[in-house]
Amino acid sequence: MALPYSPQGVRQGADQAMNESTTTAKGNILIVDDTPQTLQWIAALLRDHGYAVRGALNGLMALKSAKMDPPELILLDVNMAHIDGYEVCKRLKADPETADIPVIFISSLTEVLSKVHAFEVGGADYITKPLQAEEVVARIEHQLTIRRLQASLQRQNAQLQREIQERERALQELQRTEAALRLAEEKYRSIVENAVEGICQVTPTGQYLSVNPALAQLLGYDSPATLMANVTNVGKQLYVEPYRWAEFLAYMRRYREVTSFESEVYRADGSRLWISENVRAVTDAQGQLLYYEGTVRDVTDRRQTEEELRQQRLRSEYLLLNVLPQPIAERLKQGQHTIAESFTEVTVLFADIVDFSKLATQVSPTALVEQLNQIFSGFDRLAERHGLEKIKTIGDAYMVVGGLPKPNPQHAQAVAAMALEMRQEISHFQRADGQPYRLRIGIHSGPVVAGVIGQKKFIYDLWGETVNIASRMESHGLPDHIQVTAATYGRLHSFYNLVERGSISVKGMGEMVTYWLLSAKPILADEAADLPIGEGRGEGVANENRGTIP
């Protein structure tokens, strides 16, 4: 689950996240993020999972809060003003009262060096934005489990020390006899040789010390000796991701062990597979690192299944965005079932291909659909370029609107610019009889109601008199002409050349004075600097020499 997250807790606000300090059985967590929305989202997520949460909007507040009442874990944003997350973590680790608190970094930085730096300054983990709810909870629970296990181990160690003192038996004096050591080595060798999972020992410089037959087979080699002879540098030869070995070493330096460390690796024949490693550091009596040892298993099938599910989810989202505007699609994905809004200022355009029904009888169905798809695809590109929202196509009619779902004060100018370019776009196509296609276009501006209807096949549609009038402007227009109402004229006459058609009788509306949209007015050099980026000016003052276009 990715942002936005919308349980009831989100509405409680960032101020509640900053002030709540009641501890619960699951743990007390401090969230540090200078973006209130992100802080809200994480706080609501963690409360829903039974955690006590408090927040800080900057590094200084975080340091004071952690020292005054140390939490069990800190979620720390990397990019913050004044003091970034790395510096906050350094100060926390330098203070004995807060040094043991695990810190999980959250950041939109995905570079490996950023993650390595996070571990170098003392971070316990690193989560990349956009945040996934399941991942955030899993990482937190993992760190809290480690912290509590460490505390339990410390208590057990203290108890063992007391027992040692009471019994006056020094464990340091116990040594294995040569026979016992030999027996243990034989048992270990037997286990390694017959294990189903891959087992290996590797130096910090990436050289294998030993591997078992299962690992050699997993990586496509006929024997452990062949594997060790061919792979002399694990970091450079085994991992597909060049920096994966550096990440592994960073984890090992920090924790001395890793579990479920998943990576894509090369097999002997150059093919790839995904492996999961459980590895621990082996040290001598003085604590000096000797080598790493652990187990390796193949998780390729699971990773492929997860990737297929991810691709299916992406395809579903892509299809949804092809049907609905992105803001509307996002609201549906969040669980909102009824979406309806009123917009007081939009501009609606209807376009119809002249005599298309007659042309449909002259070509094959396949050719007809291909030609219509090419024409409407060109119109779709124009709508996207001008920031307009395509509503639907009905046969050979095309409907587009400006000013929703995101309001745009230049909605009429944008629609007018598209209308002029639609005539140019359709001129690139020819009918089966060799004649050019012709368009009839109508435009009207005013209020509408917009919303989503349907449960299985969604459609985002418009309702209201504005839609009806725009449709009438098209049906009562002339081929190769763009007819607009007085309402739209009032919004365009400062930017476009228009001419009055006169009063016409409109079905269901009575007499209406309409105008022909002719062309865009040229942009003066001093005016161009004031235009929004990407806004085509060319919507100029109405031509005062009014007349009738035949």
Side-chain angles (χ1 to χ4, degrees), residues 485-486 489-490 493 496-503 513-516 518 541-550:
T485 62
Y489 167 84
H493 71 82
Y496 284 86
N497 293 312
L498 299 100
V499 64
E500 184 178 323
R501 180 186 186 183
S503 179
V513 176
T514 64
Y515 300 81
W516 300 119
L518 303 181
V541 178
N543 194 326
E544 295 299 333
N545 299 318
R546 307 189 176 189
T548 302
I549 295 180

Short mmCIF file of all heavy atoms in Angstrom, two decimals, residues 485-486 489-490 493 496-503 513-516 518 541-550:
data_model
loop_
_atom_site.label_atom_id
_atom_site.label_comp_id
_atom_site.label_asym_id
_atom_site.label_seq_id
_atom_site.Cartn_x
_atom_site.Cartn_y
_atom_site.Cartn_z
N THR A 485 -20.57 30.33 -28.49
CA THR A 485 -21.65 31.15 -27.95
C THR A 485 -21.12 32.50 -27.48
O THR A 485 -19.90 32.73 -27.43
CB THR A 485 -22.31 30.43 -26.77
OG1 THR A 485 -21.30 30.26 -25.74
CG2 THR A 485 -22.87 29.09 -27.17
N ALA A 486 -22.07 33.38 -27.12
CA ALA A 486 -21.67 34.69 -26.60
C ALA A 486 -20.88 34.54 -25.30
O ALA A 486 -19.97 35.33 -25.02
CB ALA A 486 -22.90 35.56 -26.38
N TYR A 489 -17.45 33.71 -26.37
CA TYR A 489 -16.92 34.90 -27.03
C TYR A 489 -16.37 35.89 -26.01
O TYR A 489 -15.29 36.47 -26.18
CB TYR A 489 -18.02 35.55 -27.87
CG TYR A 489 -17.68 36.95 -28.35
CD1 TYR A 489 -16.93 37.13 -29.50
CD2 TYR A 489 -18.12 38.07 -27.63
CE1 TYR A 489 -16.62 38.42 -29.94
CE2 TYR A 489 -17.80 39.35 -28.06
CZ TYR A 489 -17.05 39.53 -29.21
OH TYR A 489 -16.74 40.79 -29.64
N GLY A 490 -17.13 36.08 -24.91
CA GLY A 490 -16.69 37.03 -23.89
C GLY A 490 -15.37 36.65 -23.26
O GLY A 490 -14.62 37.51 -22.77
N HIS A 493 -12.48 37.10 -26.69
CA HIS A 493 -12.31 38.22 -27.61
C HIS A 493 -11.04 39.04 -27.36
O HIS A 493 -10.61 39.79 -28.23
CB HIS A 493 -13.54 39.13 -27.58
CG HIS A 493 -13.68 39.91 -26.31
ND1 HIS A 493 -13.01 41.08 -26.06
CD2 HIS A 493 -14.44 39.67 -25.20
CE1 HIS A 493 -13.34 41.54 -24.86
NE2 HIS A 493 -14.20 40.69 -24.32
N TYR A 496 -8.43 36.19 -29.40
CA TYR A 496 -8.66 35.55 -30.68
C TYR A 496 -9.43 36.47 -31.63
O TYR A 496 -10.14 37.39 -31.20
CB TYR A 496 -9.48 34.26 -30.50
CG TYR A 496 -8.69 33.11 -29.97
CD1 TYR A 496 -8.51 32.94 -28.60
CD2 TYR A 496 -8.10 32.19 -30.84
CE1 TYR A 496 -7.77 31.88 -28.11
CE2 TYR A 496 -7.37 31.12 -30.35
CZ TYR A 496 -7.19 30.97 -28.99
OH TYR A 496 -6.46 29.92 -28.50
N ASN A 497 -9.29 36.18 -32.92
CA ASN A 497 -10.10 36.83 -33.93
C ASN A 497 -11.40 36.05 -34.10
O ASN A 497 -11.37 34.85 -34.40
CB ASN A 497 -9.35 36.87 -35.27
CG ASN A 497 -8.14 37.77 -35.20
OD1 ASN A 497 -8.21 38.89 -34.72
ND2 ASN A 497 -7.01 37.26 -35.68
N LEU A 498 -12.53 36.73 -33.86
CA LEU A 498 -13.83 36.12 -34.03
C LEU A 498 -14.71 37.04 -34.86
O LEU A 498 -14.44 38.25 -34.96
CB LEU A 498 -14.52 35.86 -32.68
CG LEU A 498 -13.82 34.92 -31.70
CD1 LEU A 498 -13.07 35.72 -30.65
CD2 LEU A 498 -14.83 33.99 -31.02
N VAL A 499 -15.75 36.48 -35.47
CA VAL A 499 -16.70 37.29 -36.22
C VAL A 499 -18.11 36.81 -35.88
O VAL A 499 -18.35 35.62 -35.68
CB VAL A 499 -16.44 37.18 -37.74
CG1 VAL A 499 -16.67 35.76 -38.25
CG2 VAL A 499 -17.31 38.17 -38.52
N GLU A 500 -19.01 37.76 -35.78
CA GLU A 500 -20.38 37.41 -35.40
C GLU A 500 -21.10 36.73 -36.56
O GLU A 500 -21.08 37.19 -37.69
CB GLU A 500 -21.14 38.67 -34.99
CG GLU A 500 -22.56 38.37 -34.50
CD GLU A 500 -23.28 39.62 -34.03
OE1 GLU A 500 -22.60 40.50 -33.44
OE2 GLU A 500 -24.49 39.72 -34.26
N ARG A 501 -21.70 35.62 -36.28
CA ARG A 501 -22.53 34.93 -37.27
C ARG A 501 -23.91 35.56 -37.34
O ARG A 501 -24.52 35.65 -38.41
CB ARG A 501 -22.65 33.45 -36.93
CG ARG A 501 -23.51 32.67 -37.93
CD ARG A 501 -23.74 31.23 -37.51
NE ARG A 501 -24.44 30.48 -38.53
CZ ARG A 501 -24.82 29.22 -38.42
NH1 ARG A 501 -24.58 28.56 -37.29
NH2 ARG A 501 -25.45 28.61 -39.41
N GLY A 502 -24.41 35.97 -36.19
CA GLY A 502 -25.74 36.54 -36.12
C GLY A 502 -26.62 35.72 -35.21
O GLY A 502 -26.16 34.87 -34.47
N SER A 503 -27.91 35.97 -35.24
CA SER A 503 -28.86 35.25 -34.41
C SER A 503 -29.37 34.04 -35.16
O SER A 503 -29.81 34.14 -36.31
CB SER A 503 -30.03 36.17 -34.03
OG SER A 503 -30.96 35.48 -33.23
N VAL A 513 -27.36 34.46 -30.30
CA VAL A 513 -26.32 35.12 -31.10
C VAL A 513 -25.05 34.30 -30.94
O VAL A 513 -24.57 34.05 -29.84
CB VAL A 513 -26.08 36.57 -30.64
CG1 VAL A 513 -24.92 37.19 -31.42
CG2 VAL A 513 -27.35 37.39 -30.82
N THR A 514 -24.49 33.86 -32.08
CA THR A 514 -23.29 33.03 -32.03
C THR A 514 -22.17 33.67 -32.85
O THR A 514 -22.40 34.64 -33.59
CB THR A 514 -23.56 31.61 -32.56
OG1 THR A 514 -23.91 31.70 -33.95
CG2 THR A 514 -24.69 30.95 -31.78
N TYR A 515 -20.96 33.12 -32.72
CA TYR A 515 -19.78 33.68 -33.37
C TYR A 515 -18.97 32.55 -34.00
O TYR A 515 -19.00 31.41 -33.55
CB TYR A 515 -18.91 34.42 -32.35
CG TYR A 515 -19.61 35.57 -31.67
CD1 TYR A 515 -20.48 35.34 -30.59
CD2 TYR A 515 -19.44 36.88 -32.10
CE1 TYR A 515 -21.14 36.38 -29.97
CE2 TYR A 515 -20.10 37.94 -31.47
CZ TYR A 515 -20.95 37.68 -30.41
OH TYR A 515 -21.60 38.72 -29.79
N TRP A 516 -18.22 32.93 -35.04
CA TRP A 516 -17.25 32.01 -35.64
C TRP A 516 -15.87 32.32 -35.07
O TRP A 516 -15.46 33.48 -35.05
CB TRP A 516 -17.21 32.14 -37.16
CG TRP A 516 -18.47 31.87 -37.89
CD1 TRP A 516 -19.17 32.72 -38.69
CD2 TRP A 516 -19.19 30.63 -37.94
NE1 TRP A 516 -20.28 32.14 -39.23
CE2 TRP A 516 -20.32 30.83 -38.78
CE3 TRP A 516 -19.01 29.38 -37.36
CZ2 TRP A 516 -21.23 29.82 -39.05
CZ3 TRP A 516 -19.92 28.38 -37.63
CH2 TRP A 516 -21.02 28.59 -38.47
N LEU A 518 -12.11 32.36 -35.70
CA LEU A 518 -11.33 32.36 -36.94
C LEU A 518 -9.88 31.95 -36.74
O LEU A 518 -9.39 31.03 -37.38
CB LEU A 518 -11.37 33.76 -37.56
CG LEU A 518 -12.77 34.32 -37.87
CD1 LEU A 518 -12.65 35.68 -38.49
CD2 LEU A 518 -13.53 33.37 -38.79
N VAL A 541 -8.48 39.47 -29.63
CA VAL A 541 -9.63 40.37 -29.60
C VAL A 541 -10.54 40.06 -30.78
O VAL A 541 -10.11 39.77 -31.89
CB VAL A 541 -9.16 41.84 -29.66
CG1 VAL A 541 -10.35 42.78 -29.70
CG2 VAL A 541 -8.26 42.13 -28.49
N ALA A 542 -11.84 40.12 -30.53
CA ALA A 542 -12.81 39.84 -31.60
C ALA A 542 -12.70 40.87 -32.71
O ALA A 542 -12.46 42.05 -32.48
CB ALA A 542 -14.22 39.86 -31.03
N ASN A 543 -12.85 40.40 -33.93
CA ASN A 543 -12.83 41.29 -35.08
C ASN A 543 -14.09 42.13 -35.08
O ASN A 543 -15.20 41.61 -35.08
CB ASN A 543 -12.75 40.43 -36.36
CG ASN A 543 -12.39 41.28 -37.57
OD1 ASN A 543 -12.78 42.43 -37.64
ND2 ASN A 543 -11.65 40.66 -38.48
N GLU A 544 -13.91 43.44 -35.10
CA GLU A 544 -15.07 44.31 -35.03
C GLU A 544 -15.80 44.41 -36.38
O GLU A 544 -16.91 44.90 -36.45
CB GLU A 544 -14.64 45.71 -34.57
CG GLU A 544 -14.08 45.74 -33.15
CD GLU A 544 -15.10 45.28 -32.13
OE1 GLU A 544 -16.31 45.44 -32.37
OE2 GLU A 544 -14.67 44.75 -31.09
N ASN A 545 -15.15 43.98 -37.47
CA ASN A 545 -15.81 44.00 -38.78
C ASN A 545 -16.70 42.78 -38.90
O ASN A 545 -16.32 41.76 -39.47
CB ASN A 545 -14.76 44.02 -39.91
CG ASN A 545 -13.88 45.25 -39.82
OD1 ASN A 545 -14.37 46.33 -39.56
ND2 ASN A 545 -12.57 45.06 -40.05
N ARG A 546 -17.84 42.83 -38.29
CA ARG A 546 -18.71 41.67 -38.20
C ARG A 546 -19.39 41.40 -39.54
O ARG A 546 -19.73 42.30 -40.28
CB ARG A 546 -19.76 41.86 -37.12
CG ARG A 546 -19.12 42.22 -35.78
CD ARG A 546 -20.10 42.19 -34.66
NE ARG A 546 -19.42 42.47 -33.40
CZ ARG A 546 -19.99 42.35 -32.23
NH1 ARG A 546 -21.24 41.97 -32.14
NH2 ARG A 546 -19.31 42.61 -31.13
N GLY A 547 -19.60 40.15 -39.81
CA GLY A 547 -20.27 39.76 -41.02
C GLY A 547 -20.68 38.32 -40.94
O GLY A 547 -20.58 37.69 -39.91
N THR A 548 -21.10 37.77 -42.04
CA THR A 548 -21.54 36.38 -42.08
C THR A 548 -20.59 35.58 -42.95
O THR A 548 -20.32 35.97 -44.07
CB THR A 548 -22.97 36.27 -42.63
OG1 THR A 548 -23.83 37.04 -41.81
CG2 THR A 548 -23.43 34.81 -42.64
N ILE A 549 -20.13 34.44 -42.40
CA ILE A 549 -19.28 33.57 -43.20
C ILE A 549 -20.17 32.63 -43.99
O ILE A 549 -21.00 31.94 -43.42
CB ILE A 549 -18.33 32.77 -42.30
CG1 ILE A 549 -17.39 33.74 -41.61
CG2 ILE A 549 -17.54 31.75 -43.09
CD1 ILE A 549 -16.41 33.06 -40.69
N PRO A 550 -20.01 32.57 -45.28
CA PRO A 550 -20.91 31.73 -46.08
C PRO A 550 -20.63 30.25 -45.84
O PRO A 550 -19.55 29.88 -45.43
CB PRO A 550 -20.56 32.12 -47.52
CG PRO A 550 -19.15 32.63 -47.46
CD PRO A 550 -19.02 33.29 -46.12
#
